[in-house]
Amino acid sequence: MNAQLKQEVRDCTLDFVTAVRMTLRYEDEQLARLTALLTGLAEALRDQTMIDKDLAADLYELPKTVRNMFLSYDGPAESRPEIFDRLEDAWVDLDALVMDCLQPADA
């Protein structure tokens, strides 16, 4: 696998997770870049039988972190701030992309 792509994915993932954890916010451009990188990574991994353990750990943690921040709102659903809806959408999308990356190569 391309070491540069792997590092870009790891850096972008860290930036996104940090923004979500610290401010409960992310930029649309940031999510779009991460989505594009994960899509490219899924393609690059399609014929791989192994994945770097640090990259796998980052991928595994990404949707969990976004989900946990989404679940951190404990008020009534009808007065939930819009950011939590955005986090929920991001969580679902990122989870699907990560699953594509972690799927085993076709035999």
Side-chain angles (χ1 to χ4, degrees), residues 57-91:
D58 289 346
L59 292 175
Y60 180 75
E61 289 296 320
L62 174 62
K64 278 184 17 178
T65 301
V66 177
R67 177 182 179 268
N68 288 343
M69 295 311 293
F70 159 69
L71 292 175
S72 70
Y73 178 74
D74 61 358
E78 57 276 354
S79 64
R80 181 172 66 193
E82 179 265 338
I83 187 62
F84 289 94
D85 293 332
R86 290 187 68 216
L87 286 171
E88 181 180 26
D89 293 341
W91 158 48

Side-chain angles (χ1 to χ4, degrees), residues 13-25 30 65:
T13 299
L14 178 63
D15 292 345
F16 187 83
V17 165
T18 300
V20 169
R21 277 187 181 152
M22 301 305 277
T23 65
L24 285 177
R25 298 192 189 288
Q30 191 178 32
T65 301

Side-chain angles (χ1 to χ4, degrees), residues 5-20 25-42 55 58-66 89-91 93-98 101:
L5 174 60
K6 180 179 98 170
Q7 192 59 49
E8 282 184 63
V9 170
R10 292 194 72 209
D11 291 345
C12 191
T13 299
L14 178 63
D15 292 345
F16 187 83
V17 165
T18 300
V20 169
R25 298 192 189 288
Y26 60 85
E27 300 296 325
D28 290 333
E29 297 82 23
Q30 191 178 32
L31 179 60
R33 180 169 183 260
L34 181 56
T35 299
L37 285 170
L38 290 174
T39 301
L41 181 64
L55 177 59
D58 289 346
L59 292 175
Y60 180 75
E61 289 296 320
L62 174 62
K64 278 184 17 178
T65 301
V66 177
D89 293 341
W91 158 48
D93 293 343
L94 291 172
D95 189 55
L97 286 167
V98 167
C101 291

